[in-house]
Amino acid sequence: MSDALTPTPDNKFAFGLWTIGHPGRDPFGDSTRPPVSTADFLRGLADIGAWGVSFHDDDLMTFGAPESQRRAELDAFKKSLDETGIVCSMATTNLFWHPLFKDGAFTSNDRNVRRYAIAKTIRNIDVAAELGAPTYVFWGGREGVESAASKEPRDALDRYAEALNFFCGYVKDKGYNLRFAIEPKPNEPRADTFLPTIGHAMAFIQTLEYPEMVGLNPEVAHETMAGLSFYQGVAQALWQDKLFHIDLNDQKIGRFDQDLRFGSEGIKDDFMLVRLLEQSGYSGPKHFDARPYRNEWGDGIWDFARGCMRTYLALAQKAREFDQDPRVKEAMEIASVFELAESSVGPYSTETVQRLLDESFDPDALAARTYGNEALDQLVIDRILGI
Ligand code: GLT
Ligand code: MN
Ligand code: MN
């Protein structure tokens, strides 16, 4: 039975290996449910209509195990991908779990830690290429400080850039079809993280040797933790052609990173976000980096996964209805929404500046107009509420 709210692989919904099967461990308590095997995970994804899976090297291949064991684990994963038709949509490195990364990875003060982190990443870039993943993510979980005096931030950024330039060189050298995506986060687990927001990361990318190879993997929870609008950040990333990947989840403002089910909290922002993604022609994965509530059990973890996708599809449908509603069009005309797409003065020339200066404006008339934003916004709310 299929309808607009039933996902299919065409929707390109993806989940990280660390998400649905998360056993519920947190800083204050142990696991609350058994882990899900990789094979069961992929079968489950196929059953619920998902399309892709992402992984950290250590999710897939046992850290520190002999090469033969790691190869066998990778081969088993490839077999499960083949059997289920699930696509490997993104890969990343775990540069945060092992205690060796306690001072950072690419930005650790210890040069050997930095060299180890780069080597670990290079090895997993080979795995990503073997699995055909088009995007490789960098979430700098440990790239930061508790004590500001412990690192010179400008040196740390030099080392971060050095690592990314090195990976770009490697990918070009190998001829891999792989792009990189930085995932910003303001804090947690470090007190202050380098590249804390979408804006910081986008400015940093412009300083790299191959800026066209590096984009963003923004996450709803991370910008929301910083008190920023995820919608506005994603819009700017799209505007700069930097939205290479996206981590969808949800988050209450001002809290620790909650990684809640997509659409479970900031429903109005989520509506605007889905509308933006659908209208922009973004064709990358819709990747859920979220986890079931810690008290969930059994099939409940799949309720969580189905909920993420169902809410996305429901919001996409609401967004289409919203844009087809003649009352919305009228309200947008009153608000001059479409006028913002018209250029203001055009390119500079002696003539255009003269024309501008010769024009007479009536400041009082300009101040007296209405934009009708209350009515327009109420149409957003009405649509979400379905009234
Ligand atoms: C970790 C983090 C996520 C990142 C993952 C990629 S791992 O769970 O909280 O936001 O996307 O390293
Ligand atoms: Mn998160
Ligand atoms: Mn994430």
Side-chain angles (χ1 to χ4, degrees):
M1 181 66 182
S2 129
D3 60 49
L5 300 186
T6 306
T8 72
D10 289 344
N11 297 124
K12 294 182 87 170
F13 289 130
F15 288 85
L17 266 187
W18 64 94
T19 58
I20 304 171
H22 190 276
R25 193 180 296 111
D26 74 11
F28 302 96
D30 212 341
S31 302
T32 56
R33 53 187 172 243
V36 180
S37 75
T38 304
D40 285 348
F41 184 82
L42 294 182
R43 268 193 292 275
L45 285 190
D47 286 348
I48 62 172
W51 160 85
V53 67
S54 62
F55 70 97
H56 299 87
D57 47 357
D58 299 350
D59 301 333
L60 210 54
M61 298 158 292
T62 308
F63 179 88
E67 215 29 63
S68 55
Q69 182 185 334
R70 290 169 64 82
R71 179 32 62 182
E73 288 166 339
L74 177 56
D75 286 344
F77 183 64
K78 285 169 77 172
K79 190 159 167 279
S80 288
L81 289 174
D82 280 348
E83 282 168 6
T84 55
I86 296 291
V87 164
C88 180
S89 55
M90 180 268 267
T92 183
T93 337
N94 188 323
L95 297 173
F96 46 89
W97 190 262
H98 195 285
L100 84 93
F101 298 122
K102 62 190 176 187
D103 186 59
F106 306 143
T107 65
S108 171
N109 287 6
D110 187 320
R111 184 167 179 266
N112 279 327
V113 171
R114 300 199 300 269
R115 291 175 64 79
Y116 176 84
I118 292 171
K120 190 173 192 281
T121 304
I122 291 279
R123 289 199 177 92
N124 199 45
I125 286 177
D126 288 341
V127 175
E130 183 177 338
L131 294 173
T135 311
Y136 201 94
V137 161
F138 294 103
W139 171 60
R142 300 281 172 197
E143 314 290 10
V145 290
E146 281 72 49
S147 165
S150 71
K151 281 181 206 293
E152 166 52 52
R154 289 167 296 175
D155 289 339
L157 291 169
D158 278 345
R159 300 289 77 76
Y160 221 143
E162 180 186 6
L164 282 164
N165 289 336
F166 197 80
F167 300 134
C168 287
Y170 184 70
V171 161
K172 284 173 90 70
D173 195 20
K174 287 282 181 175
Y176 291 155
N177 189 14
L178 194 63
R179 298 196 298 178
F180 296 114
I182 296 174
E183 180 175 341
K185 186 173 181 181
N187 59 277
E188 196 196 2
R190 302 310 299 265
D192 282 302
T193 314
F194 301 127
L195 308 183
T197 68
I198 291 175
H200 289 82
M202 279 202 296
F204 171 79
I205 289 167
Q206 296 313 314
T207 71
L208 299 176
E209 249 172 84
Y210 303 102
E212 69 286 356
M213 290 176 70
V214 186
L216 285 184
N217 176 41
E219 176 175 311
V220 177
H222 299 176
E223 298 297 301
T224 308
M225 286 168 73
L228 296 172
S229 160
F230 188 66
Y231 169 78
Q232 300 294 345
V234 168
Q236 189 175 340
L238 282 164
W239 184 70
Q240 296 190 215
D241 287 330
K242 286 297 177 201
L243 192 70
F244 285 12
H245 197 269
I246 193 163
D247 275 3
L248 298 171
N249 56 19
D250 226 325
Q251 171 76 24
K252 285 181 197 277
I253 205 161
R255 309 282 172 95
F256 63 94
D257 186 19
Q258 295 175 305
D259 295 336
L260 297 167
R261 188 180 77 257
F262 178 67
S264 61
E265 283 297 331
I267 195 75
K268 186 179 175 190
D269 291 347
D270 295 334
F271 168 81
M272 292 303 295
L273 174 69
V274 169
R275 178 170 176 263
L276 174 69
L277 291 176
E278 295 293 304
Q279 287 184 343
S280 69
Y282 168 75
S283 60
K286 269 95 76 177
H287 177 253
F288 298 105
D289 181 9
R291 59 190 63 155
Y293 298 139
R294 188 164 180 263
N295 64 2
E296 204 48 82
W297 180 264
D299 198 46
I301 66 171
W302 295 101
D303 289 340
F304 149 83
R306 279 187 288 261
C308 287
M309 298 187 290
R310 181 178 171 81
T311 304
Y312 185 99
L313 292 173
L315 291 175
Q317 186 174 310
K318 294 269 178 193
R320 283 190 296 274
E321 290 166 3
F322 178 77
D323 286 297
Q324 284 159 7
D325 184 341
R327 292 167 306 167
V328 169
K329 189 155 183 289
E330 197 185 320
M332 286 189 168
E333 258 149 24
I334 292 168
S336 300
V337 170
F338 309 111
E339 198 176 313
L340 187 57
E342 293 168 22
S343 87
S344 312
V345 287
Y348 175 80
S349 71
T350 353
E351 292 74 43
T352 51
V353 75
Q354 201 48 55
R355 209 174 313 137
L356 177 69
L357 297 178
D358 288 346
E359 201 170 319
S360 65
F361 297 96
D362 180 349
D364 291 336
L366 290 174
R369 65 159 287 182
T370 180
Y371 289 87
N373 284 188
E374 291 289 358
L376 174 59
D377 197 74
Q378 189 60 41
L379 288 168
V380 175
I381 298 299
D382 282 4
R383 180 58 59 185
I384 294 170
L385 295 177
I387 52 171

